[in-house]
Amino acid sequence: MTFLARLLLAALLLALPVTLTPAMAEDAAATATPAAAVISFENEAQLNALAAKGKTVVFFYAAWCPNCRATVTELNARWSEVTPGLTLVIADYDKEQALKAKFGVTYQDTFVLLDNAGKGVDVWNSGGVNGLNQHASL
């Protein structure tokens, strides 16, 4: 991803009501298990490395999607309830065509649970925090 594209993605993510960092820091200090984390998708090597380390879920987000915005709002409000140690990777639904094809994603607001090798083992739409925790427990 080019520097300009990263900068634009960072600006988009900052403009969204995604304010999970303070909760993540508090959770990490309060428990021995690392808090759940949210990061932006960069490349497949990044996903594979994250998946090898622990539970990783890719969230296909589109800024224009009302369901996606509602999901982000719920994640912000209930982030402390997300399974500790889970990494949520946000991928741009409109730009990550190859990643969508790899996991068979045809709809925004889609989550994909990865196995240790970075392969998709579970795919679902919506569900918010409850769905994320339910699928991440598989």
Side-chain angles (χ1 to χ4, degrees), residues 61-75:
Y61 174 85
W64 50 265
C65 168
N67 292 340
C68 296
R69 291 194 308 267
T71 296
V72 168
T73 299
E74 181 188 350
L75 289 172

Side-chain angles (χ1 to χ4, degrees), residues 104-115:
V105 172
T106 60
Y107 188 79
Q108 68 281 356
D109 197 26
T110 296
F111 294 86
V112 179
L113 175 66
L114 306 181
D115 67 9

Side-chain angles (χ1 to χ4, degrees), residues 8-62:
L8 290 173
L9 180 59
L12 171 66
L13 292 174
L14 289 174
L16 297 173
V18 179
T19 55
L20 303 175
T21 305
M24 292 184 323
E26 289 172 19
D27 287 349
T31 65
T33 303
V38 177
I39 62 173
S40 297
F41 173 77
E42 292 182 17
N43 55 51
E44 287 192 45
Q46 170 208 34
L47 283 183
N48 293 339
L50 290 168
K53 290 181 185 178
K55 290 281 183 177
T56 303
V57 174
V58 181
F59 174 50
F60 287 88
Y61 174 85

